[in-house]
Amino acid sequence: MKERDTVFIYSPQFQQYKFHQAHPFNQLRVKLTYDLLTEMKAIKPSDVVSPRAATKEELSLIHDKKYIEAVELAGNGQLDNEKALNFGIGTEDTPIFPNMHEASSLLVGGTLTAVDYVMEGKANHAANFGGGLHHGFRGKASGFCIYNDSSVAIKYIQKKYDAKVLYIDTDAHHGDGVQWAFYDDPTVCTLSIHETGRYLFPGTGNVTERGSGKGYGFSFNIPLDAFTEDESWLNAYRQSITEVANYFKPDVIITQNGTDAHYYDPLTHLSASMAIYHEIPKLAHEIAHTYCDGRWIAVGGGGYDIWRVVPRAWGLVWLEMNNIPIPESLPLAWLNKWQQKSPVPLPTSWYDAKDLYEPIPRKLEIEEKNAITVSKALYPIRQNDTN
């Protein structure tokens, strides 16, 4: 018997991961999500678990010790600019900010806290929306990400629990840091559904990136065309997650829940609505119970419309984890509280209006191109099934 079904990893200190006021990465979105769920009484104090900070030893499961030292020095104002740039910090994307090592370690520790609750059987599911920083590399920061909490968590799971991990990334940006960390590892399967790198950072995530050595065949990428809409996006998601999970048969799944595939997102070029965020956690939940005895860890990720998109999308993950029916409207108390601070009108419904944007001129062409991409990505699995 589980102590509880689901835990929500949260701390007000997540707000300390902050580059500067004008930077697009804004952890206020975690607070907005927490507050939304609290106002609708979908989250109780007993559901909330405080994160711990990851130790340097845990960080070094993925990150080079010299890099960890550099991050710590930078956060204390003791690293010169030239050395900082060699580690990807002090850039426009990843500026230096005070105590950046401590703030980053807490996000990683939040995901490790989620891992222990799930893997020790204290909960079926765990959510840490402060995590999901999937671009961080062994010795370099990248794309707003200093430490890669998902990669550290996967190594931690391997070392402590000896389990097979399926990592599912639905961020609009390719989950490059996690993919490359396990590119030659057959006990970790990565699936990333993202906007093609033709127009978008980090420029990787091609169908041909399938793994190397013993890990060949355990890396899957679905690069979708710019301006992809709901139906095409969901077709790609449903086919890929279903077939990859059946092929790999994981012991636990980690889902990275970037919300920047939404039409409102200012940094990407996809045209999805809230409809996909209603479906993403449903199928992940089903996969977790079909293959993993319910073991499901959800982390955050990208998402730069922090007012209209992120709280609803992450809120839907929590509602699905707990089998809570989705109400018709967002709570009035939440809307009243945050509207005065929001630069845009807040949505009142969990769904978007049908006329969210003008019709996409290349709709049919985009759908056909995406269908071919999915077929190419899943060809090895399908070919194996026919033999």
Side-chain angles (χ1 to χ4, degrees), residues 18-73:
K18 186 172 184 177
F19 296 107
H20 54 72
Q21 195 63 37
H23 197 282
F25 190 98
N26 189 341
Q27 288 288 61
L28 178 62
R29 60 209 181 128
V30 185
K31 183 177 180 179
L32 287 165
T33 304
Y34 173 76
D35 198 53
L36 173 62
L37 293 167
T38 301
E39 289 290 358
M40 61 185 291
K41 296 179 171 51
I43 188 168
K44 308 180 297 294
S46 60
D47 296 327
V48 181
V49 173
S50 296
R52 64 174 178 82
T55 66
K56 290 182 182 178
E57 182 181 3
E58 289 165 342
L59 294 172
S60 66
L61 290 171
I62 284 292
H63 296 291
D64 186 85
K65 290 181 179 180
K66 289 184 178 179
Y67 172 62
I68 297 168
E69 291 170 3
V71 171
E72 192 168 26
L73 288 171

Side-chain angles (χ1 to χ4, degrees), residues 303-335:
Y304 307 99
D305 190 315
I306 70 168
W307 301 100
R308 296 176 293 184
V309 178
V310 182
R312 289 189 293 168
W314 286 352
L316 287 166
V317 175
W318 179 258
L319 296 181
E320 174 61 34
M321 281 183 157
N322 291 277
N323 299 303
I324 298 172
I326 300 165
E328 188 172 323
S329 303
L330 273 65
L332 189 60
W334 185 82
L335 294 169

Side-chain angles (χ1 to χ4, degrees), residues 141-155:
S142 177
F144 314 157
C145 306
I146 297 168
Y147 297 141
N148 192 320
D149 61 289
S150 292
S151 291
V152 173
I154 293 170
K155 278 285 189 185

